[in-house]
Amino acid sequence: MINKKLEERINYQINRELYSEYLYLSMSAYLENNGLAGMANFMRVQAQEEHFHAMKFFTYVNERGGRVVLDAIEQPPVDFESPLAVFEESLNHEKIVTDLINKLMDLAIEVNDHATRSFLNWYVDEQVEEENSFQTIIDKLELVGGKGHGLLMLDKDLGLRVFTPPVAE
Ligand code: FEO
């Protein structure tokens, strides 16, 4: 049976991961609407990743005899200033998520829950990848000044991303 406080915090995390899915879908819609189908694809795949993150927590709570409680998902922003602003907001959002994962880990350590600590390691590693992925795109966008031929080249590259569910460990 999982610690009650941990269960509550994981339920909150499920809501944050589902909000992340919503946020990236909203960004995808904005990018699509602005002629950047490749970047829109990248964000759609990112949204799928966030759904996976949420469901991984969902399954874990059930496996530990806890109770999943789903809360309302807030509305994400609809409009953004530019493609660069989209990726900057994504990176800022991921930093907040990283902080939440770290706080979950702190709690798992505090209540001496070794299984949850082990489970959370996957998310700790995943957050390093997520932040790096957005930072790399921001760097490239800055390099090309966020417009012109460079922007279209980057859009083409990001159109190649496909969702690959991580192998169950
Ligand atoms: Fe689920 Fe992007 O963190």
Side-chain angles (χ1 to χ4, degrees):
M1 199 71 171
I2 194 161
N3 171 282
K4 268 286 152 202
K5 202 166 160 197
L6 251 182
E7 180 192 87
E8 267 172 34
R9 291 273 292 273
I10 294 178
N11 272 319
Y12 177 67
Q13 192 66 31
I14 290 172
N15 181 271
R16 292 294 79 199
E17 300 291 349
L18 291 174
Y19 173 74
S20 303
E21 179 180 7
Y22 245 37
L23 174 65
Y24 294 131
L25 277 179
S26 187
M27 288 173 168
S28 178
Y30 162 84
L31 292 162
E32 187 84 52
N33 202 238
N34 281 274
L36 295 164
M39 290 186 176
N41 169 70
F42 179 93
M43 283 301 182
R44 232 179 357 250
V45 172
Q46 187 61 37
Q48 285 175 287
E49 289 225 346
E50 299 303 343
H51 188 76
F52 180 89
H53 297 170
M55 292 313 295
K56 193 172 165 72
F57 275 120
F58 185 101
T59 304
Y60 183 71
V61 171
N62 284 326
E63 274 174 358
R64 294 290 309 276
R67 175 76 166 95
V68 171
V69 178
L70 298 177
D71 205 345
I73 305 167
E74 71 190 87
Q75 187 188 13
V78 175
D79 278 312
F80 304 88
E81 270 180 31
S82 64
L84 178 60
V86 165
F87 286 94
E88 284 173 342
E89 278 193 42
S90 303
L91 179 60
N92 286 339
H93 178 70
E94 287 305 328
K95 286 180 178 169
I96 293 168
V97 174
T98 299
D99 194 47
L100 287 172
I101 296 289
N102 287 341
K103 288 198 168 98
L104 259 179
M105 182 65 101
D106 290 344
L107 182 60
I109 291 167
E110 190 189 311
V111 301
N112 218 14
D113 185 336
H114 296 291
T116 301
R117 284 172 63 179
S118 167
F119 171 77
L120 287 172
N121 274 329
W122 184 87
Y123 287 90
V124 172
D125 295 342
E126 181 73 0
Q127 283 311 117
V128 174
E129 268 183 44
E130 300 249 302
E131 286 191 27
N132 183 52
S133 148
F134 284 121
Q135 184 65 63
T136 304
I137 297 168
I138 291 168
D139 291 346
K140 287 182 181 169
L141 273 169
E142 282 174 347
L143 214 59
V144 302
K147 56 186 188 321
H149 190 61
L151 176 65
L152 293 181
M153 291 287 287
L154 188 54
D155 184 61
K156 198 173 165 203
D157 277 0
L158 296 179
L160 301 176
R161 187 183 188 193
V162 287
F163 177 62
T164 322
V167 192
E169 65 277 25

